Amino acid sequence: MAEYDLFVLNGVVVTDTETGNFDIAVKDEKIAKVVERGGLSGLAAKRTIDAKGGYVMPGGIDAHVHLAKEPAIFGKGKSADDYESGTRSAIAGGTTTLITFAPQSKFEPSLLVALEATHARAANQCYSDYAFHLICANAGAKAISEFPALRKAGISSLKIYMTYELLELKDGEVLDVLLAARKEKITTMIHAENNQIIDWMTKELEKKKLFAPKYHVNSHPPVAEIEGTYRAISLGTFIDTPILIVHVSSPAAAAHIKNAQDQGLPVYAETCPQYLFLTRKDLDKPGFEGAKCVCSPPPRQGEQDHEGIWQGLENGTFTVLSSDHCPFLYDDSDKGKKFVINDEFPVGQFKYIPNGCPGVETRLPLTMSAGRLQLQKFVQVTSANPAKLYGLYPRKGALIPGESDADLTIWYPENGMESFVLKNDMLNHNVDYSPYEGRTFTQWPRYTVLRGQVVWDRENGGVTGKKGYGKFLERGESCLAGSRSLEDWSVENF
């Protein structure tokens, strides 16, 4: 009888701290052994994968994904992916864990109600493992009082917005959230843009009857993100609580973050592939085509901005690289991007275009194909750091025998995959386009393994996992640096 469930042999194993020629044994959904190559000879497994010299990494963790009726802030626009299609797409791109959002409405006082509704949408639907961040849009007394209950429910992070009318919190409300989050050891994610600058720019553009998708970039100038980032850091520092600035697009905003980190402040940051591979030119297409790449903050000017973001990944400014997968159908006049088109506005109105791009499946292959990041850094920002920041480590993001789930992304060996040009119909999402169509990929996961089960086999059937195999993950507190003082924050002692 086979002693183990799975062997992965002849791989180059890469974690956030080590690279080496190791073989891996899996038993009962866990990493059982990581040994020198050849060290499993004489033992038996039910299945063996020959990695053929390819890289073997902890499964990807995408910690910023919008699915299933979320975000419901763009009029009739509705997410094209639900938990079934979104998690299916994730495993096809090497991601084994998603952290999605449980959205509280501005008109709903309770966060727990939002959590319950999101559990109902995800239950028995998922191909990958999953967890939730809570979106706090109504920071009233009831919501704040529920923070301890969120922790008991396995939620250790929430997201707040400094922009969008239906989500924006004023600075005083932000402070309320940060103070309560500090007490409960909750990591607060912040969408940091100055809403008044965006509103003012939008009105000025509309005065000139400039409505095309490309003007979305003008309406979200870098200064809105730069000021919002500095203000978020200031508020977080004032309360002495860890924050993460999401989807940073501007190198100047990243410089504020780096400065705070150099001072030892618990300030973390995230960026996304759209800020490495897209530019404002992608929104400046004939007709309405540019709407495909409308997201906030928007892609910036060009190569200099890309270089600044790459450098931020390399030097540690960016803790995580997430997709910010926020999918809307393009050619859909009811619930998709095109619902803003009518006879009066034949190219739509940029301020009403549903903001977001699909990207959960392409996040890892895009970045691997670019060949820019050192391999251990790649694992850090795509797997290990998200696990550490969001309370999943070492169950996720690591390959520690007896502790880590057997989640693996197995890549092709160098020059072992024939390069190809991406077409949308190659992908497993429920979206009718990808911003990265037409790009050449030189890497793609050969296998994805979730808790010991092969759920993606690129050469033999593609998605081999089953809907419902994915589990909800209760999370603990972050194991990265938190508040600098262990004392309670109090206004009288400040």
Side-chain angles (χ1 to χ4, degrees), residues 260-294:
Q261 293 169 342
D262 288 345
Q263 296 177 58
L265 301 175
V267 176
Y268 302 98
E270 166 199 86
T271 194
C272 310
Q274 48 267 44
Y275 308 123
L276 299 170
F277 300 101
L278 303 180
T279 72
R280 66 183 300 161
K281 291 180 181 178
D282 289 291
L283 283 78
D284 188 5
K285 297 288 180 68
F288 192 65
E289 189 81 9
K292 291 179 176 179
C293 297
V294 166

Side-chain angles (χ1 to χ4, degrees), residues 193 197-222 279-285 287-291 293-300 345 347-353 355:
E193 286 186 285
I197 291 175
I198 295 167
D199 283 349
W200 186 84
M201 286 292 287
T202 298
K203 290 173 183 175
E204 291 299 305
L205 289 161
E206 290 181 333
K207 286 178 185 178
K208 298 180 179 294
K209 300 190 182 303
L210 302 174
F211 300 111
K214 67 179 180 180
Y215 294 111
H216 173 75
V217 179
N218 302 59
S219 71
H220 288 251
T279 72
R280 66 183 300 161
K281 291 180 181 178
D282 289 291
L283 283 78
D284 188 5
K285 297 288 180 68
F288 192 65
E289 189 81 9
C293 297
V294 166
C295 59
S296 294
R300 297 302 178 187
F345 299 101
V347 292
Q349 291 176 276
F350 66 82
K351 73 176 181 181
Y352 296 127
I353 296 171
N355 278 214

